[in-house]
Amino acid sequence: MTRSVDITIVDLEQNGATVPTLLYTPSDEGPVPAIVLATEAFGINDFTRRVCSELAAAGYVVAAPDYYRGHGLKNPESYTDFTEVMQFIDDLDFTDGTHDVMAAIAYVRQLPNVDPARVVVWGYCTGGTLALLTACLDRGLAAAVLFFPSQPTFPELTPKRPVQPIDLLWNAACPILLIYGDQDPFAELFDLYRRRFEQWDVDATFNLYEGAGHAFSAPVPPLRHDAADKASWADALAFVAERTGP
């Protein structure tokens, strides 16, 4: 099926700040499911737009809030020099970022062409952490797809990072797909994830992809692992379709 997709930018108001948000709306008659995308730490860039476009082509309304609120990286396309992006991660207020993702979810739920019971959060890297936090705080989600969350635990707790994300999993109510490469240092936390999910009876699916490191969905080397990216994309789409289908 060929769909036309309308692309706009909406400004969401969140805690006195404006959050520019990409909105991709497929031509299907509603109500349709929606996906809110929590971007990787590079923010809104060509990778974000490609993911949004492909999800919309699959029939989802897609919203991607800019949790940098219009003040993101000067070079969001660079996947070889991590100096700037690491500074942005260090400075990020995870409470504000999570609230921005939740504001986008609230926004798509009230759209006339969206089924509010079929809204999914989907995140990459730092956005995977924001998606994890959102899945724990919003008990009305249909599913969560977490691509290699980068901060399942923080080195220390601060006002910008007031709780260990992995310790909030007791409040997750939606099915969760957790994705890592088996060479990702954070994959070592899989047993800890499992214990949390089992302890609190959370519906969770664990996918490890052989030979892949952290951020293997990046569009270019050195991070990209082509086979893992293609396999995880297909797995994530199938996971979401099963939980948002008619």
Side-chain angles (χ1 to χ4, degrees), residues 167-178:
D167 288 338
L168 282 178
L169 288 172
W170 62 271
N171 200 48
C174 68
I176 293 174
L177 173 60
L178 186 65

Side-chain angles (χ1 to χ4, degrees), residues 42-242:
F42 290 98
I44 304 294
N45 61 6
D46 287 345
F47 173 76
T48 298
R49 295 182 184 92
R50 178 176 63 78
V51 172
C52 289
S53 179
E54 293 185 11
L55 291 174
Y60 300 94
V61 168
V62 184
D66 176 9
Y67 53 78
Y68 294 130
R69 300 176 174 182
H71 303 286
L73 281 71
K74 293 180 180 179
N75 187 7
E77 307 299 338
S78 174
Y79 287 85
T80 55
D81 182 353
F82 303 111
T83 305
E84 185 184 23
V85 72
M86 292 305 298
Q87 184 61 56
F88 271 77
I89 293 171
D90 288 344
D91 292 341
L92 179 63
D93 188 323
F94 280 77
T95 63
D96 281 344
T98 301
H99 286 149
D100 292 350
V101 175
M102 295 177 73
I105 290 169
Y107 175 78
V108 298
R109 279 186 175 137
Q110 56 82 42
L111 292 175
N113 59 329
V114 168
D115 181 349
R118 294 191 289 160
V119 177
V120 173
V121 66
W122 175 309
Y124 292 91
C125 301
T126 295
T129 303
L130 298 178
L132 186 160
L133 289 164
T134 299
C136 294
L137 296 173
D138 186 330
R139 291 178 58 83
L141 291 168
V145 177
L146 311 179
F147 280 85
F148 30 82
S150 299
Q151 299 87 7
T153 60
F154 296 122
E156 62 177 336
L157 299 183
T158 69
K160 293 181 178 182
R161 304 163 190 220
V163 66
Q164 300 295 4
I166 203 167
D167 288 338
L168 282 178
L169 288 172
W170 62 271
N171 200 48
C174 68
I176 293 174
L177 173 60
L178 186 65
I179 290 171
Y180 280 106
D182 67 356
Q183 302 303 306
D184 190 325
F186 293 111
E188 296 178 358
L189 294 177
F190 251 43
D191 286 342
L192 179 57
Y193 275 116
R194 287 185 189 277
R195 290 196 297 271
R196 294 289 193 273
F197 286 130
E198 291 172 358
Q199 179 179 356
W200 295 311
D201 196 27
V202 177
D203 180 0
T205 301
F206 299 83
N207 283 12
L208 272 177
Y209 296 88
E210 185 176 357
H214 188 67
F216 62 71
S217 294
V220 295
L223 298 173
R224 181 170 180 77
H225 190 288
D226 196 57
D229 176 56
K230 291 177 180 177
S232 63
W233 178 261
D235 291 341
L237 282 181
F239 179 87
V240 170
E242 182 177 344

